[in-house]
């Protein structure tokens, strides 16, 4: 649920930024969504299984919470970086 809400917020953020810079809002919103989704999927498939294994050996710590929601942080950071790269070109 939290990942879906984050994806919608990032998509909306890209859409509004595209409107403000006279770029195509729909393609920018799609780029925003993909710049969040692809890193989330890659993180979930490659890194999360190893982290879950480590948490199973040390239960009861806050690291379990990190493992469950780290993909959101990774996706958001990638989307933020991509946004600044994408819209930096419009200012030049």
């Amino acid at each position: 649920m939290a990942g879906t809400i984050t994806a919608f917020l990032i998509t909306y953020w890209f859409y509004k930024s595209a409107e403000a810079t006279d770029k195509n809002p729909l393609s920018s919103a799609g780029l925003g969504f993909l710049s969040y989704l692809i890193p989330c999927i890659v993180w979930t498939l490659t890194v999360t299984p190893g982290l879950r294994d480590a948490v199973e050996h040390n239960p009861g710590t806050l690291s379990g919470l990190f493992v469950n929601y780290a993909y959101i942080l990774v996706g958001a950071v990638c989307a933020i970086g991509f946004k600044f790269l994408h819209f930096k070109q419009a200012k030049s």
Side-chain angles (χ1 to χ4, degrees), residues 19-58:
E19 283 182 337
T21 57
D22 295 328
K23 286 191 164 213
N24 184 348
L26 291 177
S27 67
S28 293
L31 284 172
F33 180 74
L34 291 176
S35 69
Y36 171 78
L37 182 67
I38 292 171
C40 285
I41 291 172
V42 170
W43 179 271
T44 301
L45 295 176
T46 59
V47 178
T48 300
L51 291 175
R52 285 192 192 276
D53 185 46
V55 170
E56 285 179 13
H57 296 297
N58 192 11

Side-chain angles (χ1 to χ4, degrees), residues 4-17:
T4 303
I5 292 170
T6 306
F8 284 131
L9 290 174
I10 288 172
T11 303
Y12 181 74
W13 184 36
F14 270 71
Y15 183 88
K16 284 301 198 181
S17 296

